[in-house]
């Protein structure tokens, strides 16, 4: 399981409502990840990441999510499978300034990729499989790849199940594994782009009735840039 | 017609209590999962808005209309009756359906008709990758284009495609269209109101049956 929500605003008029909108979305993926939760909010002061262990709705309140403003935000609710339920193992993973990665799924070859990255000098904080994907993307960006290229390389290098939402200060990208068995629903209007694991999480967004709703295909990188 | 709102279990209990010939409308389903599952009566049900996972699954005899899109597994393991989705469907539409008819007016996502066991799935728009994966019996009609891996590991189900096919799956092949096929597609398209489907110009995809038996030639690979 695990639940993902993300909102990328195109209309600046919605920016004061960003936290409140994401908060409503996060509550709809509560059941998909009751172990821990985290958010990444791209506000006026840059990216702020908040994580905690426990009920996602209570955590959102603790973070003061509803009062946060900004142009983009991601949220994750975790049902732990690959490593312990800790704050460190909670998503988003942000191993590089401005970068956030949230993951639904499990990687089969994360130990192999970790060893390869460690051999190149990358240092890890946890034994979590999702952190390996985050460090991999950060490493590729450090090497000069753009986000689209880095995510295509994720598809080449990683084996396993994944729906990933990856954001930078000005980008919002979604990619799924070759079998695409973890949910991912995208919706777009002239005012925003949203990505969710649960359709219900979209229903409360302003102007949703007129949104284009679709699911990204296997290994298809969907990317929006400000 | 009875109009229902409330929790999923209360709605489903009320729907299953309806006698033959009754009608009911579920107002504002808001994408909730498991609505109208396990129906077993000659009833007409309308879900008036988007519905979530497994909509109408396991049903017998009932006629269900959804005025909006549906989530994963609409009509999963349907036994008989009809489900009409007036919108798009997420993954695994009509998965393992033994009988009945699932109509999707819009597009259907990945793995539509996976492991179909005798039911009929008709999609007015496009389907995603792996449509008809391991489908054992029944019919799939695609009014638009088909994604990659169409009919992978098919058994005896047959797929008809109006538009383009991105790629065939393992052991799926294109076969000549027979008069029976044309008749079958014409009847089904008419039932579904798919005026855009030309029964004489669909592509028939069925199993090449090369995976049915082990081959002694490939002994080393086993």
């Amino acid at each position: 399981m695990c639940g993902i929500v993300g909102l990328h605003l195109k209309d600046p008029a919605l920016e004061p409502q960003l936290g409140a909108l994401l908060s409503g979305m996060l509550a709809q993926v509560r059941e998909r990840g009751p172990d821990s939760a985290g958010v990444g909010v791209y506000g006026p002061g840059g990216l702020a990441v908040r994580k905690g262990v426990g009920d996602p709705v209570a955590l959102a309140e603790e973070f003061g999510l509803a009062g946060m403003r900004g142009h983009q935000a991601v949220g994750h609710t975790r049902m732990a499978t690959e490593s312990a339920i800790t704050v460190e193992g909670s998503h988003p993973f942000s191993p590089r300034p401005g970068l956030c990665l949230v993951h639904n799924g499990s990687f089969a070859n994360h130990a192999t990729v970790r060893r390869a990255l460690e051999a190149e000098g990358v240092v890890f904080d946890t034994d979590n499989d999702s952190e390996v994907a985050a460090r991999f993307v950060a490493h590729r960006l450090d090497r000069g790849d753009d986000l689209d290229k880095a995510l295509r390389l994720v598809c080449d290098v990683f084996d396993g199940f994944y729906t990933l939402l990856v954001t930078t200060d000005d980008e919002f990208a979604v990619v799924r594994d070759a079998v695409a068995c973890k949910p991912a629903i995208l919706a777009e209007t002239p005012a925003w782009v949203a990505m969710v694991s649960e359709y219900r999480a979209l229903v409360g967004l302003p102007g949703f009735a007129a949104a284009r709703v679709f699911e990204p295909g296997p290994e298809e990188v969907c990317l929006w840039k400000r | 017609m009875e109009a229902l709102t409330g929790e999923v279990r209360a709605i489903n209990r009320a729907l299953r209590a309806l006698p033959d010939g009754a009608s009911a409308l579920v107002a504002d389903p808001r994408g909730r999962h498991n609505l109208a599952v396990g129906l077993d009566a000659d009833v007409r049900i309308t879900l008036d808005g988007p519905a979530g996972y497994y909509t109408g699954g396991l049903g017998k005899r009932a006629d269900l209309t959804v005025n909006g899109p549906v989530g994963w597994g609409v009509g999963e393991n349907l036994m008989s009756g009809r489900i009409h989705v007036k919108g798009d469907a997420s993954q695994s539409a009509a998965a393992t359906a033994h009988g009945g008819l699932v109509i999707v007016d819009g597009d259907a996502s990945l793995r539509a008709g996976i492991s179909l066991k005798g039911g009929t799935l008709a999609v007015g728009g496009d389907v995603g990758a792996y449509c008809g994966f391991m489908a054992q019996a029944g019919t799939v009609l695609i009014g638009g284009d088909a994604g990659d891996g169409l009919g992978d590991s098919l058994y005896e189900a047959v797929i008809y495609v109006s538009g383009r096919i991105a790629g065939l799956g393992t052991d799926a092949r294109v076969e000549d269209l027979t008069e029976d096929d044309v008749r079958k597609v014409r009847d089904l398209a008419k039932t579904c109101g798919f005026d855009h489907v030309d029964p004489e110009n669909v592509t028939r995809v069925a199993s090449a049956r090369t995976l049915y038996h082990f081959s002694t030639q490939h002994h080393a690979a086993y």
Side-chain angles (χ1 to χ4, degrees), chain B residues 191-207:
Chain B
T191 301
C192 300
F194 291 174
D195 298 339
H196 61 295
V197 172
D198 174 2
E200 293 183 12
N201 280 300
V202 295
T203 306
R204 175 190 156 102
V205 174
S207 176

Side-chain angles (χ1 to χ4, degrees), chain A residues 74-210:
Chain A
V74 301
H76 184 271
T77 61
R78 180 169 184 232
M79 185 176 281
T81 54
E82 295 293 307
S83 63
I85 302 169
T86 59
V87 174
E88 294 74 25
S90 306
H91 303 219
F93 286 94
S94 181
R96 186 177 196 268
L99 177 68
C100 264
L101 178 143
V102 292
H103 172 210
N104 173 198
S106 56
F107 293 115
N109 65 339
H110 62 98
T112 309
V113 181
R114 177 189 294 261
R115 278 193 296 274
L117 288 172
E118 281 172 341
E120 294 189 45
V122 175
V123 179
F124 287 81
D125 293 333
T126 72
D127 58 358
N128 181 283
D129 64 327
S130 308
E131 188 194 351
V132 181
R135 297 271 174 201
F136 178 87
V137 172
H139 188 60
R140 295 316 312 178
L141 296 177
D142 288 344
R143 290 286 182 93
D145 288 341
D146 61 21
L147 185 59
D148 182 78
K149 173 83 184 298
L151 294 181
R152 286 179 202 287
L153 284 170
V154 165
C155 295
D156 290 347
V157 170
F158 282 85
D159 181 18
F161 300 125
Y162 53 89
T163 287
L164 299 174
L165 171 60
V166 186
T167 47
T168 66
D169 286 327
D170 59 355
E171 291 160 306
F172 183 91
V174 178
V175 68
R176 305 165 88 187
D177 64 77
V179 181
C181 67
K182 296 294 179 187
I185 305 166
L186 283 160
E188 183 170 21
T189 72
W192 48 260
V193 177
M195 181 270 164
V196 294
S197 307
E198 272 282 350
Y199 183 92
R200 288 176 306 178
L202 296 169
V203 175
L205 291 174
F208 172 62

